[in-house]
């Protein structure tokens, strides 16, 4: 068998993020909340990257109330395939 991927998709029904905010998210401390510290995505991304995975944010659709899709991909190695 080949290696596999575990894909987790989380969709919200909020207003979505601007292109600028999507670009910043996960790269610098960033928050849309007034009192937010902006480190949640950075910590999540670091932990997911540590196990060889990836985290991606996209807007689900164009326009108001589009919401954000968070996609986490974890690569799962098949021990029999790697030998």
């Amino acid at each position: 068998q080949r290696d596999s991927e575990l894909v987790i998709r989380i969709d919200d029904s909020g207003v979505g993020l601007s292109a600028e905010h999507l670009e910043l998210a996960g790269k610098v401390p960033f928050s849309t909340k007034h009192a937010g510290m902006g480190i949640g995505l950075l910590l999540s991304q670091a932990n997911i990257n540590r196990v060889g995975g990836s985290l991606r944010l996209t807007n689900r659709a164009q326009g108001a109330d589009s919401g954000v899709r968070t996609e986490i991909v974890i690569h799962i190695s098949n021990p029999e395939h790697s030998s």
Side-chain angles (χ1 to χ4, degrees), residues 4-30:
S4 300
E5 292 182 337
L6 169 66
V7 179
I8 302 167
R9 286 187 188 99
I10 304 162
D11 291 342
D12 74 22
S13 58
V15 297
L17 292 172
S18 68
E20 178 185 1
H21 288 168
L22 282 172
E23 181 68 28
L24 291 174
K27 295 181 181 167
V28 298
F30 164 80

Side-chain angles (χ1 to χ4, degrees), residues 22-78:
L22 282 172
E23 181 68 28
L24 291 174
K27 295 181 181 167
V28 298
F30 164 80
S31 179
T32 59
K33 298 175 185 171
H34 176 67
M37 293 179 60
I39 61 172
L41 277 175
L42 289 174
L43 293 174
S44 296
Q45 190 164 26
N47 286 319
I48 292 165
N49 290 347
R50 191 173 294 123
V51 297
S54 61
L55 183 144
R56 183 174 62 161
L57 298 178
T58 56
N59 282 321
R60 291 178 30 216
Q62 298 298 320
D65 299 326
S66 63
V68 172
R69 170 170 287 164
T70 302
E71 186 173 85
I72 300 166
V73 179
I74 305 293
H75 303 283
I76 302 169
S77 296
N78 181 345

